[in-house]
Amino acid sequence: VLPRYPMATPKETAKQLIDHLSDQASWDEIMYELYVRHKIEEGLKASDDGRTISHEEARQRLLNNAR
């Protein structure tokens, strides 16, 4: 697991992530890891910015969409 580097650029973060992968990693594996890391960073930024909802609200939204 890569630590969070708030001052790292996306390019630096991508390089670090790729360097931690196996030398035999496929393009699909690399792209998946980059995508997941990007989504995690987006979620952390949303949390830092206060753009979150409670567990109960998330539950209600999911239950309402299931109908």
Side-chain angles (χ1 to χ4, degrees):
V1 174
L2 289 176
R4 188 172 177 202
Y5 299 109
M7 302 307 280
T9 66
K11 183 177 178 178
E12 291 167 334
T13 301
K15 284 181 177 181
Q16 292 166 359
L17 187 143
I18 290 169
D19 285 344
H20 281 84
L21 294 175
S22 162
D23 287 341
Q24 287 74 38
S26 69
W27 279 106
D28 287 340
E29 292 167 327
I30 293 168
M31 294 304 294
Y32 173 78
E33 294 294 331
L34 291 171
Y35 173 80
V36 169
R37 181 60 182 237
H38 174 67
K39 289 299 182 181
I40 290 170
E41 292 293 331
E42 282 183 338
L44 291 171
K45 182 170 181 349
S47 179
D48 290 346
D49 294 345
R51 294 181 288 125
T52 60
I53 61 173
S54 69
H55 175 78
E56 184 58 32
E57 185 176 345
R59 184 177 171 277
Q60 287 300 319
R61 287 183 185 186
L62 289 170
L63 291 174
N64 289 339
N65 286 337
R67 295 178 195 178

